[in-house]
Amino acid sequence: MEPSWLEKFLQNNRTPWIVGTLTIALFLIANLPWQLDDYDQAKQAFTSFEMVKEGRWFYQQTPHEHLATKPPLVGWISAGLFAATRSWDVAWRLPSFVAAIAMSILLFRVAAVAHGSVAALIALSAFGLNLLSPRLATLVRTDMPLACLIFLIGLLIWRKIQKQEVWIPRDRFLIFASLTAALLIKGPIVYAFLLPGIALFQWCHGRVGALRRPDAAARRAYLQDHNSAWCGWWPWLASLGIFLLWVVGGILFQPGFFDQVVMREFVARFGETIHRAQPFYFYLPHLLHKFAPWSVLMIAVAILDLRSRRWKIAAAFREMPPETFWLLCWSLGGLLAMSLIPSKRVDRIFPVIPPLCLLLAAQIGGISPDEYSRTRVYRWSAVALFLSILLTGGYTISKVFSGYRDHRDALVVFGREVRHEAETHHWRYEVIGGKDEGLLLYMRRLSFVEPEDVIAKWKTGVIDAVVAPDEEQPRLLRDLEGSVPSRIRSQPENDDRTPGYVLLTRSKLAKP
């Protein structure tokens, strides 16, 4: 049978380059215009800013002077990048972008070697063309670096299972280093994405298989040959010990650390009083939606495979290669563990996306060799690829257009203009806080100032200008003698969708 143009498109050597280029472009533009006003980006950005400005390398605060709840590794990376580039936008967003590109390349190369070029193309497309990856690729958060490290650990386990190799000290050290880095990015949540899958794989693929062996010697030999998902205890315990040193240091030397970080940020995640609780099934429908159309393709290929086996599900699991079964355990284990935690948010489930992409590649590479099944799956894959380009590309572009139309970067522009005017006129200024945490970073300031302190500094001539919310303007114009509003405002005329801030200056300094 002559291949259709859809099959030829999948098998064309240029197609991966087209998909890769499109993926990188979406990664770069998805969060334009860049700002820090949502998804707690300001909190994460402030950690590295405070490191550079005040030298607080281990424990930081948020813009509203609460303790930062995340460990400092990504902040260290951003501080180093700022020292090299002198650009905060690059320093804050490059770690996530590099992690996304690294996972894209790894997924493609691993899937190409294990399952062929078409499966590798689908794995790359599934990772880059969904509704989660482009959004997180340049977001000032820790989700993408964390997912990258979890993926590296899972991939190393996958390789040991595939090659049936014993764990050597070098492998265990790599696991230890990756776990330590992951714990210093976001804490023990890394265990939820790996340990349940490891336990499930060890029990199902090891114990159940061993029980079918006729005698104790055969069972021991089977367990020894099929125990490659577990590297031993010391990498897990040693990395946890390093993380606990950071925790104990915070409890001992940082007032409020135990209440704000240990109890509120970690322990409260398992309750329903502080963080908003969601039902157990919350992640499943959101994952099916955010990962579409690839989630639909995975289900369709699985149904086709079961039909070819006359719905013998047990036989399908028995004949599944161990490395593919690990991908299934890895994905489902992470999903189930995260579903058990009452506090949920859609982007927290992102680390299960890379193993799902490899699992999809394994499905494509392991389809029935008959021409009818292969042709059908290839056509479905091509349709899913085109749909993903339309859905992800259209959604991303629409978000970018709406962002510029709605002046989502109004505070960014406002901060840049204030800093330029202050540098030009040698103004000394302070910032009165509002609800927008990112404002402090746009102004390159370490703390907000209360109105009473601003009035005192104004009267003594310590400051020449004030950035304040619109609601504070009447009071400040009354209490700050000789103050006048400048032409610089955060809110365009006749636009109520952006936060309102104004720059007040002394009348002798204001432009005519």
Side-chain angles (χ1 to χ4, degrees):
M1 182 184 296
E2 179 70 20
S4 67
W5 70 271
L6 288 174
E7 296 173 72
K8 292 179 180 178
F9 176 76
L10 289 180
Q11 296 169 342
N12 193 309
N13 291 332
R14 297 179 180 177
T15 305
W17 290 100
I18 295 172
V19 172
T21 302
L22 178 61
T23 296
I24 292 173
L26 292 176
F27 284 177
L28 286 172
I29 71 171
N31 290 305
L32 292 176
W34 285 349
Q35 40 77 33
L36 303 170
D37 301 329
D38 54 5
Y39 294 95
D40 291 335
Q41 292 185 89
K43 289 183 174 66
Q44 178 59 39
F46 198 73
T47 60
S48 54
F49 184 74
E50 197 173 31
M51 288 175 185
V52 172
K53 298 297 183 181
E54 287 197 333
R56 301 185 63 170
W57 294 100
F58 292 97
Y59 307 98
Q60 301 79 38
Q61 293 181 332
T62 67
H64 282 140
E65 298 186 349
H66 298 291
L67 283 176
T69 57
K70 299 292 186 298
L73 181 57
V74 173
W76 293 342
I77 296 172
S78 294
L81 288 171
F82 176 76
T85 64
R86 310 310 297 177
S87 169
W88 280 117
D89 277 329
V90 172
W92 288 329
R93 299 180 190 275
L94 191 59
S96 292
F97 180 73
V98 170
I101 298 299
M103 280 192 285
S104 301
I105 295 173
L106 274 174
L107 273 168
F108 182 80
R109 290 176 64 88
V110 170
V113 172
H115 306 294
S117 59
V118 173
L121 171 65
I122 297 305
L124 173 64
S125 304
F127 179 74
L129 301 175
N130 59 71
L131 298 183
L132 280 176
S133 297
R135 177 63 171 162
L136 294 175
T138 53
L139 208 64
V140 187
R141 287 185 56 82
T142 57
D143 300 278
M144 191 64 77
L146 176 71
C148 185
L149 288 167
I150 292 173
F151 180 62
L152 290 176
I153 297 169
L155 198 59
L156 181 57
I157 296 173
W158 176 87
R159 182 178 177 83
K160 305 302 288 187
I161 293 172
Q162 183 197 38
K163 295 185 175 295
Q164 283 296 298
E165 296 176 344
V166 297
W167 289 90
I168 60 177
R170 177 178 174 272
D171 300 324
R172 293 188 175 93
F173 179 79
L174 290 175
I175 294 288
F176 161 72
S178 300
L179 279 172
T180 302
L183 284 164
L184 291 178
I185 285 177
K186 213 164 186 175
I189 195 68
V190 61
Y191 293 153
F193 289 103
L194 290 168
L195 288 180
I198 292 173
L200 184 62
F201 178 86
Q202 294 295 97
W203 188 83
C204 292
H205 199 68
R207 298 294 178 184
V208 174
L211 290 175
R212 298 194 180 98
R213 269 46 190 178
D215 53 54
R219 285 195 290 271
R220 285 196 298 270
Y222 184 88
L223 286 172
Q224 184 176 2
D225 291 339
H226 293 78
N227 201 35
S228 53
W230 179 245
C231 66
W233 283 103
W234 85 257
W236 299 86
L237 296 179
S239 56
L240 180 61
I242 292 176
F243 171 73
L244 290 179
L245 285 177
W246 177 79
V247 173
V248 171
I251 294 173
L252 294 177
F253 302 111
Q254 293 294 312
F257 186 94
F258 182 80
D259 292 330
Q260 295 182 35
V261 180
V262 177
M263 298 303 298
R264 183 182 179 88
E265 179 66 15
F266 180 71
V267 176
R269 298 285 180 190
F270 299 90
E272 301 182 2
T273 56
I274 296 178
H275 301 283
R276 182 181 177 183
Q278 299 290 352
F280 173 81
Y281 57 82
F282 175 83
Y283 281 129
L284 181 59
H286 281 85
L287 188 60
L288 292 173
H289 166 237
K290 298 293 185 182
F291 197 49
W294 307 109
S295 54
V296 178
L297 179 62
M298 292 185 74
I299 295 171
V301 175
I303 291 174
L304 181 65
D305 181 66
L306 287 175
R307 283 186 60 186
S308 69
R309 300 172 185 273
R310 298 185 179 180
W311 300 99
K312 296 179 180 178
I313 299 177
F317 278 103
R318 283 196 303 269
E319 297 171 11
M320 186 181 296
E323 63 272 20
T324 303
F325 187 67
W326 157 245
L327 295 175
L328 182 63
C329 293
W330 179 9
S331 307
L332 290 181
L335 177 61
L336 289 173
M338 293 300 291
S339 297
L340 290 172
I341 300 174
S343 175
K344 298 179 178 68
R345 197 167 66 188
V346 175
D347 50 3
R348 292 192 185 125
I349 202 64
F350 179 74
V352 306
I353 294 291
L356 285 176
C357 295
L358 273 183
L359 183 60
L360 177 57
Q363 287 182 287
I364 301 296
I367 56 174
S368 176
D370 66 274
E371 191 171 358
Y372 175 75
S373 298
R374 186 187 64 186
T375 300
R376 175 177 287 189
V377 170
Y378 279 15
R379 288 177 178 175
W380 290 351
S381 301
V383 170
L385 175 55
F386 285 115
L387 282 175
S388 68
I389 292 173
L390 291 175
L391 291 173
T392 306
Y395 176 77
T396 300
I397 293 172
S398 68
K399 290 288 288 184
V400 172
F401 277 131
S402 66
Y404 281 107
R405 184 189 65 237
D406 298 340
H407 303 286
R408 199 174 296 149
D409 62 338
L411 288 180
V412 180
V413 175
F414 176 67
R416 186 165 56 242
E417 291 180 350
V418 169
R419 296 198 314 270
H420 174 74
E421 290 295 313
E423 184 178 352
T424 301
H425 299 287
H426 305 288
W427 290 342
R428 296 160 298 175
Y429 65 95
E430 295 286 2
V431 182
I432 295 177
K435 63 180 180 179
D436 304 284
E437 292 184 320
L439 179 67
L440 205 59
L441 293 163
Y442 305 144
M443 300 299 168
R444 303 296 189 258
R445 286 291 185 268
L446 284 165
S447 60
F448 291 114
V449 179
E450 295 297 327
E452 292 75 15
D453 296 330
V454 166
I455 294 171
K457 290 183 178 181
W458 184 277
K459 290 180 178 179
T460 56
V462 175
I463 59 175
D464 310 302
V466 180
V467 174
D470 279 347
E471 57 267 23
E472 294 285 348
Q473 182 177 339
R475 173 190 174 185
L476 293 174
L477 288 175
R478 182 183 68 248
D479 295 338
L480 302 181
E481 185 178 352
S483 63
V484 294
S486 75
R487 61 174 180 82
I488 303 176
R489 294 186 54 83
S490 67
Q491 193 176 61
E493 293 184 8
N494 302 320
D495 187 353
D496 296 330
R497 293 172 295 188
T498 56
Y501 288 88
V502 64
L503 174 65
L504 303 179
T505 66
R506 292 187 186 275
S507 57
K508 65 178 181 178
L509 297 176
K511 284 191 173 184

